[in-house]
Amino acid sequence: GAVVSQHPSWVICKSGTSVKIECRSLDFQATTMFWYRQFPKQSLMLMATSNEGSKATYEQGVEKDKFLINHASLTLSTLTVTSAHPEDSSFYICSAKPSYESPLHFGNGTRLTVT
Amino acid sequence: GQQVMQIPQYQHVQEGEDFTTYCNSSTTLSNIQWYKQRPGGHPVFLIQLVKSGEVKKQKRLTFQFGEAKKNSSLHITATQTTDVGTYFCAGRVSGNTGKLIFGQGTTLQVKP
């Protein structure tokens, strides 16, 4: 149980375009989802906390207008990287948990390459 | 801000040797979790420690949570090649969302 699906697994886009990444909890409802970014051989950096039905909470230094988060239902959160640039190339991973005390369950991640 | 420091960053061991990674938080944690990420994969939950001084074992893996709930360790006895990967500790921050702060991770390489 507690499966999180993330799509797409990888995407290559041109500089200036926008990319949408979907994160779904398949067998549980998640009022909160978390978006992380991971550079090669580095740790997971929390970007934002996605809250169902309300605005996302962004971590310090993360641009809200650059990384748009929409959590429209209890099973879906999306991250849109707007006007992507090569420095946005990274591994983006979402996570969710069935309850407050549960551990995080991660999606498979999305490897974004901006050319 | 809140930080979780993890050392070492890398560890190369001969198969059969033991391995330990350490985490230290700047603040008291409500709990600590450990994850393993294989190369090219996503983090997978290993265990959660909640109580002060708690020790849990999973086969060859031993996890400890410090008395002050600010540090933790993961010890692997007699490493195997299947243990290869990056091990992350993650501290739970008290609050409504329960967000986790991840350590930098320790990448383990095991030579057969």
Side-chain angles (χ1 to χ4, degrees), chain A residues 10-76:
Chain A
W10 58 270
V11 58
I12 301 173
C13 71
K14 292 187 177 181
S15 189
T17 61
S18 295
V19 173
K20 180 185 283 189
I21 303 170
E22 292 187 349
C23 181
R24 294 181 186 272
S25 55
L26 297 186
D27 52 359
F28 66 97
Q29 294 182 332
T31 56
T32 304
M33 290 186 177
F34 302 90
W35 287 95
Y36 289 85
R37 182 174 181 175
Q38 187 177 36
F39 289 103
K41 299 184 179 181
Q42 293 192 23
S43 186
L44 293 92
M45 300 300 298
L46 180 64
M47 298 175 65
T49 302
S50 173
N51 305 300
E52 188 269 335
S54 64
K55 292 182 180 179
T57 305
Y58 289 82
E59 294 300 304
Q60 193 173 9
V62 178
E63 298 176 57
K64 302 178 183 181
D65 297 331
K66 174 77 173 173
F67 300 99
L68 298 179
I69 291 174
N70 184 17
H71 195 149
S73 77
L74 287 170
T75 58
L76 174 63

Side-chain angles (χ1 to χ4, degrees), chain A residues 1-6 22-30 32-36 44 75 92-109, chain B residues 33-36 42-48 90 92 98 100 102:
Chain A
V3 177
V4 176
S5 174
Q6 188 172 340
E22 292 187 349
C23 181
R24 294 181 186 272
S25 55
L26 297 186
D27 52 359
F28 66 97
Q29 294 182 332
T32 304
M33 290 186 177
F34 302 90
W35 287 95
Y36 289 85
L44 293 92
T75 58
Y92 294 87
I93 317 177
C94 71
S95 66
K97 48 196 176 99
S99 66
Y100 179 82
E101 290 300 330
S102 299
L104 288 177
H105 297 273
F106 285 87
N108 287 336
Chain B
Q33 299 172 17
W34 285 88
Y35 293 80
K36 178 182 179 180
H42 63 277
V44 175
F45 173 75
L46 293 177
I47 209 159
Q48 175 174 279
R92 166 76 61 82
L100 292 178
F102 279 79

